[in-house]
């Protein structure tokens, strides 16, 4: 045993730099894997904890007075056993607000709630900032964390709202976690008002009051049975808006699901690279010490005991590496979770669970994998024959193979008559095929990560380039009507038609549609209704076409999947309580509402309401898009009392800046880690080769070659290999990784992720892997410059 321990520590001391670099590699693998596990585990747990603490709703129902009687609906649910139903909460709709002197984009629709006394029975509000209060005091409001974060609103800030008839200002006295309407990508926000302020501002406002109620089931799995009974009570389907638990849940998790997937995939890749390096190091150590092993075996030490020295060496390195990796993962995972789930932060912190059992299990798995790898590769000592080892310094077969490969490379060099520097580079590649393959694989993975990160971030930053592929329109300017009483559609359209800068426009409304889905619950979806051309507005489909006629409908991807419908099928849909049978003309993907939506023309509504005219939102295309800001200013100045105009770019940036802010930290960390790993591994591999070929380089120096010439020759081979790896990496980053994400994206209504590629930035970042590889090689060969030819020859 003493001999084994002595040999083990001798191996560690002999290759200090190589062992330190390998330890760093194992640590980084542990960091990525442990971080991804923590993120995935906590993402669901934190949402579930928040949902539990708030006694959260499983369903949210919104109603007016035109289709169902809200009191009748509420009374029925209040009487059910196994269901908790909130009281009806009245609210009025507004669009947009002004905070800190800056107007917000008009894509945020506000529910101005008449706040009941806290605590609510279900769907409670959790205070993120300020002390718990029974209700907002007069002149103040509570706002959700999502609105506070995206608009940089703090406690005490004044927010101005405009009803179209008048403007009023209220100060923020509370920032609350509001699960149903406070998540990422939400274009709705509940503003919680004092009862006195509510009646003072809205009693005289034109339009009807709406009502909201929340349902929580003792057993959510039984909700379908309750709805069967409820629809029997209604003598038909529930025809107004219903938000399901899955809708609340999904968008809180989408970003972390993507981050977790990326970190697991790249953590596993880094672990495999670590294992390859362990195998490479052991194989190299065996070849380098072949004679020594032969002598030791001839003295009586068995192959098994020699093998144990390598296993013990890498087991010790793993233990030393895994512990700091686990510690660092707690910090990195907290940073990522805090940024991605900030909307769920109550009392200024998130309770992040670090399950010691899972952490230890992961550590044990990594340690076992490393030990097994070391054992498998160290088993090669069984084949060491003392006589051959002492005679050739390797097996006789390996000696013949090496001579044959050197002869082939010499013939290749002579045939093409290359300069001596390139010949050295080619010999370095052909003589060390395993390390050459490693360099290609490593730079391919690193460049793939850098390319994917660049493309992913650019796709969200440049969302305007691909808005139709995300399910949005591609119009240049969006105008929302804020005051129906003062708005004249005729005057507005006359202004548009007289302006030569405007190419075309369309009007968009949104209704709640109900699609019966036997034997499951009916689908309550958003139905986009357009007065104009969907194609001209820039909407796209992934199959078929947008609706043109009054008997056609285009449906979202997840609606088609749920109903098992395809092009040409008939869909039964209720809109405003009226039944329609429409032909599916197209299927589209959309991240908004997770493709649980549909598109129809305004003619469908006019079929039962001849006087209907869409007048909620206008989408305008210009002859010259660069005039968008100018048109927005003109529209806001000319129709100040009734509309609010924004560029489409402004609206999209407001929605997707959250994604960019959350993704930039983990993608940057992963990219930096792999660049570092590339440098470390290629430094280590090149250092091994320099030691093995020290005699050859000593001869080159003794016949007049400079140290820099030799170093450039070696680096040129690495440059060629890393360049080849980068080409593969660009393909993997643009094609294969997004394809692997498809299973996650499909859940959120996207068949494929629309990519916007900035080629100069993408190629520039991919070349960082080449720079890291060449720099690692160049630094590792510094020993050639420092050492005299005589010493090199002796070594």
């Amino acid at each position: 045993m003493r001999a084994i321990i002595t040999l083990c520590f001798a191996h560690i001391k002999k290759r200090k730099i190589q062992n330190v670099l390998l330890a760093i590699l194992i640590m980084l693998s542990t960091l990525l894997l442990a971080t991804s596990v923590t993120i995935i585990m906590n993402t669901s747990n934190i949402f579930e904890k928040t949902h539990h603490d708030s006694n959260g709703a499983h369903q949210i129902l919104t109603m007016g007075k035109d289709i169902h009687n809200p009191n009748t609906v509420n009374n029925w649910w209040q009487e059910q056993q196994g269901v908790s139903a909130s009281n009806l909460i009245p609210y009025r709709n507004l669009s947009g607000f002004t905070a800190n002197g800056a107007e917000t984009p008009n894509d945020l629709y506000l529910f101005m709630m008449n706040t009941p006394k806290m605590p609510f029975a279900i769907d409670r509000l959790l205070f993120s900032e300020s002390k718990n209060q029974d209700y907002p005091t007069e002149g103040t409001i509570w706002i959700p964390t999502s609105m506070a974060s995206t608009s940089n609103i703090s406690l005490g800030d004044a927010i101005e709202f405009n009803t179209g008839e008048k403007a009023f200002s209220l100060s923020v006295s509370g920032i609350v976690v509001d699960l149903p309407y406070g998540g990422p990508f939400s274009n709705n926000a509940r503003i919680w008002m004092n009862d006195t302020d509510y009646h003072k501002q809205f009693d005289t406002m034109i339009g009807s009051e709406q009502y909201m109620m929340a349902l929580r089931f003792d057993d959510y799995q039984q909700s379908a049975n309750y709805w069967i009974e409820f629809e029997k009570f209604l003598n038909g389907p529930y025809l107004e808006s219903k938000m399901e638990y899955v809708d609340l849940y999904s968008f809180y998790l989408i970003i972390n699901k993507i981050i977790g997937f990326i970190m697991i995939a790249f953590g596993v890749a880094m672990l495999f690279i670590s294992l390859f390096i362990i195998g490479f190091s052991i194989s190299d150590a065996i070849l380098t010490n072949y004679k020594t092993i032969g002598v030791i075996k001839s003295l009586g030490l068995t192959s098994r005991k020699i093998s144990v020295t390598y296993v013990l060496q890498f087991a010790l390195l793993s233990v030393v590496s895994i512990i700091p990796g686990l510690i660092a993962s707690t910090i990195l995972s907290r940073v990522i979770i805090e940024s991605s789930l900030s909307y769920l932060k109550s009392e200024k912190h998130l309770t992040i669970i670090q399950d010691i059992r899972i952490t230890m299990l992961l550590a044990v798995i990594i340690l076992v994998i490393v030990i097994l790898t070391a054992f498998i590769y160290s088993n090669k000592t069984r084949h060491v024959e003392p006589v051959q080892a002492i005679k050739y310094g390797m097996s006789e077969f390996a000696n013949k193979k090496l001579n044959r490969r050197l002869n082939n490379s010499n013939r290749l060099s002579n045939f093409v008559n290359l300069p001596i520097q390139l010949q050295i580079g080619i010999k370095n590649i052909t003589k060390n095929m395993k390390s050459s393959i490693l360099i290609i694989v490593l730079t391919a993975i690193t460049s793939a990560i850098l390319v994917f990160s660049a493309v992913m971030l650019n796709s969200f930053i440049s969302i305007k380039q691909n808005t139709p592929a995300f399910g949005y329109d591609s119009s240049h300017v969006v105008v929302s009507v804020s005051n129906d009483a003062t708005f004249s559609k005729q005057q507005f359209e006359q202004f548009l038609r007289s302006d030569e800068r405007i190419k075309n426009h369309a009007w968009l409304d949104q209704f709640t549609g109900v699609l019966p889905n036997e034997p499951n619950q009916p689908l309550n979806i958003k139905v986009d209704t357009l007065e104009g051309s969907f194609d001209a507005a820039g909407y796209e489909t992934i199959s078929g076409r947008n609706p043109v006629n009054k008997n056609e409908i285009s449906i979202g991807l997840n609606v088609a999947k749920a109903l098992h419908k395809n092009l040409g099928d008939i869909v039964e849909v209720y809109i405003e309580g009226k039944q329609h049978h429409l032909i599916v003309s197209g299927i589209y993907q959309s991240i908004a509402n997770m493709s649980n939506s549909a598109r129809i023309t305004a003619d469908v509504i006019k079929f039962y309401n001849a006087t209907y005219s869409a007048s909620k939102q206008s989408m305008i295309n210009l002859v010259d898009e660069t005039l968008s800001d100018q048109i927005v200013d003109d529209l806001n100045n000319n129709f100040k009392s009734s509309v609010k105009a924004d560029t489409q770019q402004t609206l999209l940036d407001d929605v997707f800046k959250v994604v960019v802010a959350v993704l930039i930290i983990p993608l940057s960390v992963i990219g930096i880690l792999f660049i570092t790993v590339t440098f470390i591994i290629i430094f280590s591999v090149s250092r091994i080769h320099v030691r093995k070929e020290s005699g050859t380089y000593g001869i080159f120096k003794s016949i007049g070659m400079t140290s820099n010439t030799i170093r450039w020759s070696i680096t040129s081979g690495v440059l060629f290999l890393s360049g080849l790896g980068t080409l593969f990496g660009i393909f993997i980053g643009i094609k294969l990784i997004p394809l692997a994400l498809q299973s996650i994206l499909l859940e959120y209504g996207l068949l494929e992720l629309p990519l916007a590629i900035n080629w100069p930035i993408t190629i520039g970042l991919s070349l960082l892997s080449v720079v890291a590889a060449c720099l690692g090689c160049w630094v590792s060969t510094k020993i050639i410059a420092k050492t005299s030819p005589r010493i090199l020859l002796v070594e």
Side-chain angles (χ1 to χ4, degrees):
M1 189 63 189
R2 185 178 177 182
I4 292 172
I5 294 173
T6 303
L7 284 171
C8 171
F9 282 101
H11 291 156
I12 293 174
K13 288 178 182 178
K14 187 176 181 182
R15 302 189 175 194
K16 293 188 186 73
I17 294 176
Q18 185 181 336
N19 287 324
V20 167
L21 296 179
L22 185 58
I24 292 172
L25 201 58
I26 296 171
M27 183 195 73
L28 295 179
S29 303
T30 306
L31 170 64
L32 282 183
L33 290 171
T35 301
S36 62
V37 169
T38 303
I39 288 172
I40 291 170
M41 181 177 65
N42 276 275
T43 298
S44 180
N45 287 343
I46 288 172
F47 178 86
E48 291 289 353
K49 183 180 184 303
T50 306
H51 192 261
H52 175 269
D53 291 347
S54 63
N55 205 29
H58 290 126
Q59 293 171 343
I60 302 284
L61 311 184
T62 55
M63 295 166 279
K65 292 183 178 178
D66 299 329
I67 301 175
H68 300 297
N69 185 309
N71 289 310
T72 303
V73 171
N74 186 258
N75 289 338
W76 188 91
W77 283 106
Q78 293 281 4
E79 293 170 359
Q80 304 309 304
Q81 297 295 319
V83 184
S84 299
S86 71
N87 293 324
L88 290 173
I89 307 177
Y91 70 93
R92 299 296 290 265
N93 289 114
L94 290 180
S95 175
F97 60 92
T98 301
N100 301 318
E103 287 194 11
T104 60
N106 60 6
D107 66 329
L108 185 64
Y109 297 96
L110 307 177
F111 298 144
M112 311 300 291
M113 313 296 294
N114 187 2
T115 313
K117 188 175 180 179
M118 288 280 280
F120 306 163
I122 60 172
D123 197 26
R124 297 170 190 152
L125 302 175
L126 303 177
F127 284 85
S128 177
E129 296 185 39
S130 78
K131 295 180 180 179
N132 290 1
Q133 306 166 45
D134 290 338
Y135 46 81
T137 56
E138 193 172 341
T140 70
I141 52 173
W142 301 336
I143 65 171
T145 50
S146 55
M147 179 174 158
S149 177
T150 54
S151 300
N152 297 315
I153 300 172
S154 304
L155 290 176
D157 288 352
I159 300 179
E160 184 179 290
F161 303 95
N162 196 324
T163 66
E165 301 162 27
K166 61 180 179 180
F168 62 95
S169 181
L170 299 169
S171 64
V172 177
S173 64
I175 297 174
V176 296
V177 175
D178 189 356
L179 277 181
Y181 295 100
F185 311 109
S186 176
N187 61 352
N188 296 313
R190 294 196 287 195
I191 309 298
W192 299 90
M193 300 178 66
N194 176 275
D195 177 70
T196 303
D197 291 327
Y198 180 84
H199 288 292
K200 178 182 176 181
Q201 304 301 339
F202 299 123
D203 279 355
T204 59
M205 180 178 170
I206 297 172
S208 59
E209 194 169 53
Q210 304 288 309
Y211 296 90
M212 189 177 296
M213 63 175 286
L215 300 176
R216 181 180 176 87
F217 299 89
D218 292 349
D219 181 2
Y220 181 54
Q221 302 300 322
Q222 297 300 316
S223 62
N225 296 330
Y226 285 98
W227 275 89
I228 291 170
E229 294 302 315
F230 178 51
E231 290 178 347
K232 286 179 182 177
F233 168 76
L234 294 177
N235 294 318
Y238 173 76
L239 300 173
E240 299 203 56
S241 177
K242 178 178 68 169
M243 180 188 288
E244 286 284 353
Y245 176 72
V246 68
D247 301 323
L248 308 180
Y249 189 88
S250 296
F251 280 114
Y252 282 101
L253 309 188
I254 180 173
I255 297 175
N256 278 2
K257 278 188 177 181
I258 292 173
I259 293 171
F261 170 85
I262 292 168
M263 296 193 83
I264 284 178
F266 295 152
V268 169
M270 189 177 286
L271 182 59
F272 273 115
I273 291 170
S274 303
L275 300 178
F276 187 94
I277 291 295
I278 289 171
F280 179 84
S281 300
I282 292 173
S283 298
D284 176 71
I286 291 171
L287 287 174
T288 304
N289 300 304
Y290 211 87
K291 279 188 179 180
T292 306
I293 293 170
V295 172
I296 291 172
K297 288 185 78 172
S298 68
L299 294 174
L301 201 65
T302 64
S303 297
R304 183 177 294 276
K305 290 181 178 179
I306 296 172
S307 176
V308 168
T309 63
Y310 294 107
V311 172
L312 183 60
Q313 173 191 346
F314 289 103
L316 290 172
L317 286 175
S318 297
V319 170
V320 171
S321 308
I322 289 170
I323 293 171
L326 294 176
I327 294 170
S329 76
T330 61
I331 300 169
L332 180 59
S333 59
R334 176 168 286 277
V335 170
I336 294 171
I337 292 169
E338 289 270 4
S339 61
S340 60
L341 295 178
S342 59
Y343 295 166
L344 297 178
K345 189 185 297 183
S346 59
E347 300 177 359
K348 298 188 178 181
H349 72 277
L350 287 172
T351 305
I352 296 175
I353 301 168
Q354 299 286 349
D355 193 323
I356 190 67
R357 292 170 301 175
I358 294 177
T359 303
M360 292 307 297
L361 177 62
L362 180 65
V364 170
I365 290 171
I366 294 173
L367 181 60
V368 168
I369 291 173
V370 169
I371 289 173
L372 284 174
T373 303
F375 176 75
I376 291 167
Y377 278 92
S378 63
N379 236 8
K380 291 181 180 180
T381 55
R382 289 187 302 112
H383 304 295
V384 176
E385 296 292 340
V387 175
Q388 292 183 11
I390 295 168
K391 182 177 181 181
Y392 299 111
M394 61 184 72
S395 69
E396 188 175 358
F397 175 77
N399 183 62
K400 291 179 179 178
K401 188 177 178 182
L402 178 62
N403 289 331
R404 189 163 55 247
R405 188 185 297 165
L406 288 174
N407 289 333
N408 289 337
S409 64
N410 286 332
R411 283 198 292 271
L412 176 64
S413 300
N414 293 332
F415 178 73
V416 294
N417 197 25
L418 293 173
I420 185 64
Q421 292 92 337
L422 290 182
Q423 289 187 38
I424 294 171
I426 290 172
K427 282 183 179 178
N428 206 38
I429 292 171
T430 55
K431 190 175 180 180
N432 305 288
M433 290 304 294
K434 284 186 180 178
S435 58
S436 298
I437 293 169
L438 173 63
I439 292 170
I440 293 172
V441 171
L442 182 60
T443 50
I445 292 173
T446 303
S447 58
I449 291 165
L450 295 171
V451 165
F452 173 73
S453 300
V455 170
M456 189 85 162
L457 289 172
N458 188 65
S459 296
F460 288 116
I461 292 170
S462 310
I463 188 72
K464 186 69 171 67
Q465 296 179 27
N466 283 320
T467 48
F470 277 98
Y472 299 100
D473 63 281
S474 62
S475 55
H476 301 142
V477 174
V478 177
V479 179
S480 289
V481 177
S482 57
N483 185 359
D484 291 327
T486 60
F487 178 69
S488 169
K489 184 176 179 180
Q490 184 179 358
Q491 289 180 6
F492 186 82
E493 290 202 316
Q494 186 177 353
F495 177 87
L496 297 183
R497 284 192 293 268
S498 65
D499 195 322
E500 295 180 353
R501 297 170 296 178
I502 294 173
K503 184 179 180 181
N504 57 56
H505 72 281
W507 289 93
L508 179 73
D509 267 359
Q510 200 170 68
F511 295 89
T512 295
V514 179
L515 292 82
N517 183 25
E518 298 294 341
N520 301 314
Q521 291 186 51
L523 299 181
N524 293 66
I525 65 171
K526 298 296 182 184
V527 179
D528 293 328
T529 305
L530 200 74
E531 191 174 273
S533 168
F534 278 102
D535 293 331
Y539 287 99
E540 289 182 354
T541 59
I542 54 176
S543 63
R545 59 173 175 77
N546 285 307
V548 176
N549 303 310
K550 63 184 178 182
N551 65 337
E552 293 178 336
I553 186 171
S554 181
I555 57 178
L557 188 66
N558 283 338
V559 173
K561 195 192 321 182
L563 297 177
H564 306 290
K565 296 293 183 181
N566 213 324
L567 300 180
D569 291 343
I570 304 295
V571 168
E572 180 186 2
V573 57
Y574 290 84
I575 302 171
E576 292 194 313
K578 303 296 190 294
Q579 186 185 44
H580 303 270
H581 289 88
L582 305 175
I583 301 169
V584 177
S585 66
I587 297 171
Y588 61 88
Q589 66 172 20
S590 173
I591 196 169
N593 300 307
M594 297 165 60
S595 287
N596 289 313
S597 57
R599 298 170 185 164
I600 59 172
T601 65
D603 291 335
V604 176
I605 308 298
K606 290 177 182 177
F607 184 77
Y608 63 84
N609 182 0
T611 61
Y612 168 74
S613 179
S615 59
K616 293 296 182 186
Q617 192 178 78
S618 180
M619 296 175 294
I620 300 170
N621 285 315
L622 309 179
V623 176
D624 182 0
E625 187 180 356
T626 60
L627 301 176
S628 295
D629 291 328
Q630 192 181 107
I631 292 288
V632 165
D633 291 340
D634 290 348
L635 289 170
N636 283 329
N637 290 332
N638 281 279
F639 301 93
K640 190 172 184 178
S641 64
S642 57
V643 306
K644 187 172 184 301
D646 277 303
T647 64
Q648 177 78 317
Q649 183 71 62
T650 301
L651 301 180
L652 292 168
D653 287 347
D654 190 59
V655 173
F656 286 96
K657 68 183 179 183
V658 177
V659 184
V660 174
V662 172
L663 285 179
I664 198 164
I665 293 175
L667 291 179
S668 299
V669 168
I670 293 171
I672 292 169
L673 287 182
F674 268 86
I675 290 172
T676 306
V677 165
T678 301
F679 174 85
I680 289 172
I681 291 175
I682 293 176
F683 174 90
S684 180
V685 170
S686 298
R687 190 69 173 258
I688 291 170
H689 292 158
V690 168
R691 281 204 185 96
K692 287 169 67 176
E693 299 294 324
S694 58
T696 304
Y697 299 142
I699 293 170
F700 288 159
K701 288 188 76 171
S702 66
I703 61 175
M705 285 186 72
T706 65
S707 298
N708 281 344
T709 301
I710 298 170
R711 294 174 72 189
W712 279 119
S713 300
I714 299 168
T715 306
S716 66
V718 173
L719 176 63
F720 170 76
L721 294 172
S722 58
L724 187 61
T726 298
L727 292 176
F728 290 129
I730 292 172
F731 173 77
I732 294 168
I734 292 174
K735 295 293 183 184
L736 299 187
I737 298 177
L739 188 64
L741 276 172
Q742 193 174 71
S743 60
I744 295 175
L745 296 172
L746 196 58
E747 182 183 344
Y748 291 90
L750 294 179
L751 186 62
E752 61 180 33
L753 181 66
L755 301 177
I757 303 173
N758 184 320
W759 283 109
I761 291 176
T762 300
I763 293 172
L765 281 175
S766 71
L767 291 177
L768 288 177
S769 63
V770 177
V771 173
C774 291
L775 188 61
C777 179
W778 179 260
V779 173
S780 72
T781 57
K782 195 173 182 180
I783 190 173
I784 296 174
K786 286 184 174 182
T787 313
S788 69
R790 184 178 62 81
I791 294 175
L792 283 171
L793 282 169
V794 169
E795 288 182 353

